[in-house]
Amino acid sequence: MSKMGKAMKYFVLPGAIVLGLGGAFKAATAEGPRDPMGPCPNTPNCVSSLTTDTDKKVAPFDFNGNPKDAKNKLVNIIANMERTKIIVNKGGYLHAEFKTAIGFTDDIEFQFDLNASKIDVRSASRFGYSDFGANRKRVELIRQKFEGNTP
């Protein structure tokens, strides 16, 4: 094999890997969750009130009274947080995006269960493996504000 052939052999493989990772990055950062209130992925960067996985489990939010008032309160809390954008606010469902300080996007979803007077929650990073507890901390901060225990 010529020197050029050997050089191309070593150049093409890393290039293919980079292209493959680029596709994975694009898929991982697609806009929003694909399945509202779907399961958490197998990575430790998601928490949910609907999971049975104790490492990812968070309690749902409880509310008393009018669900519309509870939802308005939740919308107001989220809208006043830094680097936040509400994406969907329809019926008993709320989806917001949080931009991290370094530019990654996390999704948080809320689904109202009117029969149980509770709000299920799911918060997940779109990209990466670990979030170092950021999604859990965010959910608990929102819970504190929702319950009137602003830190």
Side-chain angles (χ1 to χ4, degrees):
M1 184 178 288
S2 71
K3 285 184 181 180
M4 180 59 117
K6 286 181 185 176
M8 288 301 290
K9 176 179 155 185
Y10 294 107
F11 177 75
V12 172
L13 181 59
I17 291 171
V18 168
L19 287 174
L21 288 176
F25 180 78
K26 183 176 179 183
T29 59
E31 285 209 19
R34 293 195 175 112
D35 182 18
M37 298 301 291
C40 282
N42 291 329
T43 54
N45 59 1
C46 178
V47 294
S48 174
S49 62
L50 298 174
T51 188
T52 57
D53 182 339
T54 56
D55 292 335
K56 297 176 183 188
K57 183 77 172 172
V58 291
F61 290 28
D62 294 318
F63 69 93
N64 294 313
N66 186 333
K68 194 177 228 180
D69 292 341
K71 187 175 182 192
N72 288 339
K73 183 176 183 179
L74 194 55
V75 166
N76 189 42
I77 290 166
I78 292 169
N80 286 298
M81 295 177 78
E82 290 183 352
R83 299 182 302 272
T84 304
K85 180 179 178 185
I86 294 177
I87 304 302
V88 177
N89 180 0
K90 185 175 181 182
Y93 178 75
L94 178 65
H95 169 209
E97 291 179 344
F98 284 82
K99 294 285 185 187
T100 66
I102 58 173
F104 291 114
T105 302
D106 294 343
D107 293 288
I108 190 164
E109 301 172 273
F110 297 91
Q111 181 69 52
F112 282 70
D113 182 341
L114 301 180
N115 295 326
S117 295
K118 71 174 185 168
I119 308 166
D120 283 306
V121 59
R122 179 185 184 275
S123 185
S125 302
R126 286 190 193 173
F127 184 73
Y129 181 76
S130 177
D131 65 351
F132 304 103
N135 283 291
R136 181 176 299 280
K137 289 175 192 167
R138 183 180 302 117
V139 166
E140 295 309 326
L141 175 64
I142 294 169
R143 182 189 315 280
Q144 284 181 331
K145 292 180 179 194
F146 186 77
E147 293 174 352
N149 303 321
T150 307

